[in-house]
Amino acid sequence: MSGKEPADQQFEMKITLVCNDINEETINELAAPIGLCYLAGYAEKYMPGDISFSIKTRPDFSPGEDDSDIIGISSMSRYFPNALKLAKEIKAKREIPVLIGGYHISSLPHTLPECFDIGVIGEGELTFIELLKLYKEKGKFTDEDLSKIDGIAYHGEGKVLITPPRAPIEDMDSIPFPKRDLWDLSNRVMWLSSSRGCPFNCVFCAVARCRHREFSADYVAEELLMLQKKYNPRGISFHDDLFMLNPVRLEDIIRQLKKRGFNFNTNFGLSLRADFITPDAVRLLKELNVITVFIGIESASEKVIAYLKGGKITVGVVQRALDLLKENNIMVEGSFIIGSPPEEREDLVATYKFIVENYSAGKLAFILTNLITPYPGSRIWQYAKDRNIVTDDMDFSKLNMALHSFDPYNCTYLNENIPLTEFVDYIDMFEKLHYDVNRLRYKAFGDSFEDIFYKRRLDRERLRKFKEESLGTGNA
Ligand code: B12
C-alpha cells in the first residue's frame, strides 16, 4: 500500500466516508449515515489540525472524481456486494487506503476482502482516529504499526490478521455530537442516538447483547435543544435500539428540556420493547410529545415469540401495550417476522389475524412484515450456517428481508415445517396485508415515497412460476 512521503506531514488530510447502505434500493426516509457522522465529529474534536471530511452516499460518490487521501466505506451485510464493487473501482483508479467498517465486517472480520486495506470492527471512533493519526505521522500503514491497533482486521503474512477487540467507549458524553451537516438533511426525518447497544438477545439480531451504554440526560437535552435551534424539525426519531431502558433518565431529560425552554411542538418517534410500556412509561412519553412508538412484536404465536425474543414477552404483554398506547393516542408501528424455523401454519394465521384486528381497532398504524433473515453476527446466522444455508463467502444481497422484493429462487429459507412452495402463499398474503395497512401512511409521506412504494410490489408471476416448476417436477 503506497502512501505519502513523511515530509508531507503538514498536508491537509482529506477523508471521504461513503455510506453504502443508502443506495438506489433504499427508500427509507429514516436512513442516515449516523455512524459516519459520529466518526467525523469525533476525529474533528480529538484530531485537531488540518483534516477535512466529506460524507457521500453510494449514488453520489464517483471514485474518478475523488481526491481524498483515505476512503472509508460503511456497510451492512445486505448491501456488502455493492461495497465490494465500489472498493474494487476505487483500487482500479487510485492507490489509496480503503477502510471498511459497520455491521457486516464487524460480524465477519476474518473475511476481509483484498480490496479493503483495513476492516474496523465494532464501535469505530477510537480505532478510526488511531488509524488517522498513524497515517498522518507515517503517510502509510505498515503491518507492524497495524498490529498495535486494537479492533481491526488487515492483510499480513499472506492472510487476514485480527487484532484484540477494541474496548467500548465508557464515557459516552466524551463523544461529540455527530456532524450532521456533512450530509444533506432535507427531506429526511431528523434523528438522534441517545444510547448504544442492547442487553437483550433476540435470535435474529446482529447486535444482540452488545453492552448497553447511554449518553447522559444532560447530553441528550443539549443535543435536542441544538437540533431544535438549528433545524427546527417537525419530528425527531430516536435511533436507539431501545430508548427507555432507564425511565429515570427520560424523566431527567424532560425536566432539563422544560427548564431550558425546549418547544414541545416537536414530536418524537422511538423504539420500545412491549414489556417496557407501563402507565408510568406512557405518561413520560406523552410529556415528551412522542407520537409514534416502534415495537418489535414479531409474532402473535407464544411459541414463535419465545423462540425469536425469549424472555418475558408474551402476546398478552404486547396486546396490553397496544391497548395502553391507543388509550393515549400514541401511534404504533409494529414489526413482524415470518418464516422462523419453528413456525407452523396456525402461527402464521394467528399473526395475520392479530394484525387485522389491531389495525381495524386503530391500535396498529403501520406494520413492517419481514422474512426472518440470518444476518451475520446473529444467532440465526449460526443456525443457517450449520445447515449450509449461508456461508461466509455467499452473495450477501440474498439477505433481503423485505417481502416486496422476495425472490423464491434467491432467498434464505429457514422454516422447518412448511415447504417453500406453500410458504410463498403466505408471503403473498402478508405482502398484500403490508401494502393495504401502510398505504395511508405512505400517502402521508408525499408523492415521491408513495410513487416508489406503489412500484415496489412482490413479483407474483415469479412466485407462480416457481411453484409450477417446483411442483411440476415433484421435488417440492
Ligand atoms: C437505527 C437503525 C436503523 C435505521 C437507520 C439506519 C441508518 N443508518 O440509516 C433504519 C430504520 C433506517 C434501519 C434500516 C435498516 N436496518 Co437497521 N438498525 C438500526 C440500529 C437500531 C441502530 C444503528 C445505529 O444508529 N447505530 C449507531 C451508530 C453510531 O453506529 P454505526 O452506524 O454502527 O457506526 C459505528 C460503527 O459501526 C463504526 N463504523 C460504521 N461504519 C464505519 C465505516 C468506517 C470507515 C469506520 C472506520 C467505522 C465505521 O463506527 C461507527 C461509530 O462508532 C441497528 C442495531 C444497533 N443497535 O446497532 C440496526 C441494524 C444496523 N439494522 C439492520 C438491518 C438489517 C437494517 C435493514 C437492512 C433492514 C431492512 N428493512 O431491510 C434496513 C436497511 C436500511 C438502510 N439502508 O439503511 C441490522 C444490520 C445487520 C447486518 N449484519 O447487516 C442491525 C444491526 C439490526 C439487527 N437486528 O441486526 N436501521
Side-chain angles (χ1 to χ4, degrees), residues 141-206:
F141 292 120
T142 64
D143 295 3
E144 195 209 339
D145 290 334
L146 290 178
S147 66
K148 300 187 191 103
I149 297 194
D150 287 353
I152 63 169
Y154 65 101
H155 303 285
E157 300 159 16
K159 59 185 183 211
V160 175
L161 299 172
I162 298 174
T163 61
R166 168 72 60 181
I169 297 172
E170 287 307 335
D171 172 11
M172 289 288 283
D173 287 9
S174 69
I175 303 173
F177 295 159
K179 273 195 74 66
R180 292 177 176 84
D181 297 351
L182 288 173
W183 194 60
D184 165 14
L185 290 164
S186 55
N187 273 337
R188 294 273 161 178
V189 174
M190 179 53 74
W191 50 269
L192 185 148
S193 285
S194 84
S195 68
R196 292 185 181 178
C198 176
F200 296 99
N201 192 17
C202 302
V203 74
F204 52 84
C205 185

Side-chain angles (χ1 to χ4, degrees), residues 21 41 92 98 106 109 122 192 195 272 333 388 401 415 441 474:
D21 300 320
V98 177
S106 296
L192 185 148
S195 68
L272 281 179
E333 295 185 46
N388 294 321
M401 56 164 82
N415 184 271
R441 167 123 181 152

Side-chain angles (χ1 to χ4, degrees), residues 40 162 294 343 425 473:
I162 298 174
F294 177 94
E343 192 167 52
D425 297 339
T473 56

Side-chain angles (χ1 to χ4, degrees), residues 104-330:
H104 184 73
I105 202 65
S106 296
S107 304
L108 298 175
H110 57 284
T111 67
L112 182 73
E114 282 294 333
C115 54
F116 297 108
D117 299 282
I118 301 167
V120 170
I121 305 165
E123 188 169 73
E125 284 89 348
L126 291 171
T127 311
F128 186 51
I129 62 161
E130 277 188 27
L131 289 167
L132 296 186
K133 281 182 180 161
L134 175 60
Y135 196 74
K136 181 113 179 137
E137 190 196 331
K138 307 257 180 93
K140 60 176 177 263
F141 292 120
T142 64
D143 295 3
E144 195 209 339
D145 290 334
L146 290 178
S147 66
K148 300 187 191 103
I149 297 194
D150 287 353
I152 63 169
Y154 65 101
H155 303 285
E157 300 159 16
K159 59 185 183 211
V160 175
L161 299 172
I162 298 174
T163 61
R166 168 72 60 181
I169 297 172
E170 287 307 335
D171 172 11
M172 289 288 283
D173 287 9
S174 69
I175 303 173
F177 295 159
K179 273 195 74 66
R180 292 177 176 84
D181 297 351
L182 288 173
W183 194 60
D184 165 14
L185 290 164
S186 55
N187 273 337
R188 294 273 161 178
V189 174
M190 179 53 74
W191 50 269
L192 185 148
S193 285
S194 84
S195 68
R196 292 185 181 178
C198 176
F200 296 99
N201 192 17
C202 302
V203 74
F204 52 84
C205 185
V207 287
R209 277 194 309 205
C210 165
R211 206 154 58 68
H212 186 259
R213 292 155 297 139
E214 296 175 330
F215 292 100
S216 68
D218 259 3
Y219 180 106
V220 176
E222 184 72 33
E223 190 168 359
L224 287 171
L225 285 152
M226 178 278 288
L227 288 179
Q228 190 167 71
K229 192 148 163 275
K230 202 165 180 183
Y231 306 102
N232 193 22
R234 199 161 41 102
I236 296 177
S237 169
F238 281 102
H239 273 348
D240 306 41
D241 242 324
L242 275 180
F243 175 73
M244 195 163 55
L245 276 182
N246 165 4
V248 176
R249 182 187 70 146
L250 177 54
E251 256 175 302
D252 202 356
I253 292 171
I254 294 169
R255 193 178 315 111
Q256 298 253 5
L257 292 174
K258 284 185 176 161
K259 202 168 72 192
R260 298 160 69 178
F262 184 79
N263 175 347
F264 284 89
N265 288 343
T266 298
N267 62 55
F268 290 92
L270 46 83
S271 301
L272 281 179
R273 269 172 64 105
D275 54 348
F276 280 81
I277 299 172
T278 63
D280 283 350
V282 170
R283 179 179 51 73
L284 288 173
L285 297 178
K286 291 301 283 180
E287 259 190 274
L288 184 62
N289 194 19
V290 170
I291 62 168
T292 310
V293 166
F294 177 94
I295 306 177
I297 299 174
E298 322 309 0
S299 170
S301 144
E302 300 295 1
K303 176 188 66 191
V304 175
I305 281 189
Y307 173 84
L308 292 171
K309 295 182 87 81
K312 296 188 278 112
I313 305 242
T314 63
V315 179
V317 167
V318 172
Q319 190 60 66
R320 278 194 295 285
L322 297 187
D323 299 348
L324 195 52
L325 291 164
K326 167 73 177 149
E327 280 158 29
N328 289 273
N329 295 322
I330 295 179

Side-chain angles (χ1 to χ4, degrees), residues 17 21 26 28 30-32 34-36 38-39 72-74 76-79 99-104 120 122-125 128 193 196 204-207 239 241 375-376 401:
L17 298 173
D21 300 320
T26 50
N28 204 312
L30 288 168
I34 302 169
L36 301 180
Y38 272 107
L39 292 177
I73 301 173
S74 183
M76 295 182 191
S77 297
R78 179 177 162 198
Y79 308 113
L99 311 187
I100 178 80
Y103 294 89
H104 184 73
V120 170
E123 188 169 73
E125 284 89 348
F128 186 51
S193 285
R196 292 185 181 178
F204 52 84
C205 185
V207 287
H239 273 348
D241 242 324
Y375 284 109
M401 56 164 82

